Amino acid sequence: MKLKIGVARIPFFGPLIRRTYQMATAPVALARAARIELPRLGHDMADIAERLTRVEYEIRDMRSVIENEIRSVVDPRLIDQRFAELQARSDASIQGTVGQTVQRLDMRMQGLEQRVADVMDRGDHEWGASRRSYTELAHRLSLLLEDVRKLPASTSRSDFRDKAEATPDPLLTTFYATFEDRFRGSREDIRERVSVFLPEAQETVAAVGTNGPVVDLGCGRGEWLEVLSRAGIRCLGVDNNEAQLASARAHGLPVLNADALAWLKEQPPASVPMISAFHLIEHLPFAVLTQFASEVMRVLAPGGLALFETPNPESLLVGAFSFHLDPTHIKPLPPELTTCLMEVIGFTPVKIRPLHPHPWRDRYLRDGSLPQDVARMLFGPRDYAVLARKPGV
């Protein structure tokens, strides 16, 4: 009898066979799954490795920053450097404060010094005016006494009064001396200005060869005489302001008290090599000026030089303002007028030399803020000189 027993019919064989089959086929399935998942896993691992690398770099950077910060705090050299910077800033601030304080003190000191100088200048002017007034009064008294001695015994009281009234007014004399001191400039300034004419004087004296002195009419305090004397040139000053003549005499300069035109008329012809008159001709009426220039022509030796300096009315500041500061000025004399006058009298050649431009002229000509013609008219030469030569034989 054949036993036909199915495997499936055996109760414990079915699960065992299935289990065995699953165990036999599991590696194959696993291999299949691994074949699919391994590439994905490789990509994930590469991504994780890249991220880990980035994190490592970030950690290094953070460590470097932290170490730098620690060094900046702990490193003594950096601490010293920062302390030095702070100290330098502090020193600069202190120096700036101290400098400003010193500057303010200097300005105050300069202000005080200027005030003291102003007070001393006023004192000098007042003392000078008093001294000139005393000198003028003494001179006037001596002139009156001399005239009284010359008067005949029969002179009436009215004649004596007329003679006294004809003498110069000491108040006006003192005023004009003070006015010159205040507005024309110091003795040193005037001496520097007129010294530009020394070459002409030396050349003329050497060329003419006469024994007469260089004569300065209206010599005032004698600055031009001082320049000539220092250069070894014989000279003589003529003025009728005794207060200013006293200043010239105090410097040992040869001067005499006389009216310029009257003195010229008393001189022999062709007797002096050079006649100068600084800021004199604008005080003369034109008729008197023509006589004055004619007498200068007569007294000069052949080849002699006439030198007249006068305010320049071509400068609007002079013609409209500064010329009129002096109450004894008659009228401005344009260069063309004086040139024509000297040529008519017979001088040749006659040259005009502009002098003393305003300090602002060059600035306006340089920066172009004013048209050049306007700058020259406003701030051009404030004086000019006439240099007129008497023809030689």
Side-chain angles (χ1 to χ4, degrees):
M1 172 177 173
K2 291 184 181 179
L3 293 176
K4 293 184 181 179
I5 300 173
V7 174
R9 291 181 181 180
I10 299 175
F12 62 88
F13 272 115
L16 178 62
I17 293 171
R18 285 193 297 271
R19 183 68 176 169
T20 302
Y21 177 79
Q22 291 176 352
M23 291 177 64
T25 58
V28 177
L30 183 61
R32 290 176 182 174
R35 189 182 300 162
I36 296 172
E37 294 296 331
L38 280 177
R40 295 178 183 176
L41 184 60
H43 288 299
D44 293 341
M45 292 297 293
D47 185 56
I48 292 172
E50 183 179 357
R51 292 183 182 181
L52 288 174
T53 302
R54 292 178 184 175
V55 170
E56 184 179 0
Y57 286 150
E58 290 177 358
I59 291 174
R60 289 179 182 177
D61 292 340
M62 292 179 63
R63 180 181 298 174
S64 176
V65 171
I66 293 172
E67 287 176 355
N68 289 335
E69 288 296 327
I70 293 175
R71 288 194 189 99
S72 67
V73 174
V74 177
D75 192 347
R77 290 174 298 179
L78 293 177
I79 294 175
D80 293 340
Q81 181 180 355
R82 293 192 178 183
F83 180 77
E85 292 176 355
L86 292 174
Q87 187 175 9
R89 293 179 183 176
S90 177
D91 291 344
S93 177
I94 294 174
Q95 290 177 0
T97 304
V98 172
Q100 293 176 358
T101 304
V102 172
Q103 186 176 6
R104 287 196 297 269
L105 291 175
D106 287 341
M107 293 178 64
R108 291 182 181 179
M109 287 297 297
Q110 291 176 3
L112 291 174
E113 291 175 356
Q114 184 62 42
R115 291 181 184 179
V116 172
D118 292 341
V119 171
M120 293 181 67
D121 287 342
R122 285 198 299 270
D124 291 341
H125 282 302
E126 292 175 0
W127 167 248
S130 300
R131 184 177 59 186
R132 286 190 293 267
S133 179
Y134 171 79
T135 303
E136 176 60 26
L137 288 172
H139 178 70
R140 188 184 185 200
L141 180 59
S142 65
L143 292 177
L144 286 174
L145 291 174
E146 185 178 353
D147 291 338
V148 168
R149 294 189 186 97
K150 295 178 181 178
L151 291 175
S154 59
T155 302
S156 65
R157 181 175 297 178
S158 61
D159 293 335
F160 180 78
R161 183 168 56 251
D162 294 340
K163 185 68 176 177
E165 292 176 353
T167 59
D169 187 343
L171 178 60
L172 291 178
T173 301
T174 302
F175 161 78
Y176 199 73
T178 304
F179 178 86
E180 287 280 306
D181 291 343
R182 182 171 301 178
F183 290 102
R184 193 175 178 204
S186 67
R187 186 179 194 90
E188 292 74 18
D189 291 339
I190 303 303
R191 189 170 59 236
E192 182 178 358
R193 291 180 199 170
V194 299
S195 62
V196 299
F197 300 109
L198 182 59
E200 282 82 1
Q202 293 171 324
E203 178 184 352
T204 300
V205 170
V208 173
T210 182
N211 293 327
V214 173
V215 178
D216 187 28
L217 300 176
C219 64
R221 298 174 300 193
E223 293 90 348
W224 175 231
L225 299 176
E226 191 171 354
V227 172
L228 295 171
S229 297
R230 290 181 178 181
I233 298 176
R234 185 177 169 225
C235 56
L236 174 66
V238 178
D239 204 306
N240 60 359
N241 189 308
E242 183 59 31
Q244 291 194 338
L245 291 177
S247 177
R249 293 192 188 98
H251 288 80
L253 301 173
V255 293
L256 58 89
N257 191 319
D259 176 79
L261 182 56
W263 183 88
L264 283 171
K265 291 180 178 180
E266 297 174 354
Q267 305 310 306
S271 56
V272 299
M274 179 177 177
I275 296 177
S276 57
F278 292 91
H279 291 267
L280 173 64
I281 61 176
E282 66 269 17
H283 296 266
L284 304 177
F286 190 72
V288 178
L289 176 58
T290 57
Q291 295 182 46
F292 177 82
S294 298
E295 285 297 318
V296 169
M297 178 72 163
R298 182 185 66 83
V299 176
L300 280 175
L305 181 67
L307 166 61
F308 301 157
E309 183 180 301
T310 188
N312 183 13
E314 291 181 328
S315 168
L316 295 182
L317 291 179
V318 173
F321 173 66
S322 62
F323 181 87
H324 306 283
L325 282 174
D326 191 334
T328 62
H329 283 174
I330 302 298
K331 63 177 296 183
L333 299 169
E336 295 83 358
L337 173 61
T338 52
T339 299
C340 182
L341 174 62
M342 302 301 278
E343 289 176 346
V344 168
I345 292 174
F347 287 94
T348 184
V350 179
K351 298 180 180 179
I352 298 296
R353 182 182 298 179
L355 300 167
H356 317 138
H358 195 282
W360 294 355
R361 183 195 63 173
D362 292 341
R363 184 184 71 182
Y364 284 112
L365 290 177
R366 186 169 50 251
D367 62 23
S369 57
L370 287 176
Q372 291 193 356
D373 292 342
V374 175
R376 289 190 180 96
M377 285 190 295
L378 287 174
F379 306 112
R382 291 170 288 180
D383 302 306
Y384 72 91
V386 184
L387 295 103
R389 186 78 62 177
K390 180 176 180 178
V393 177

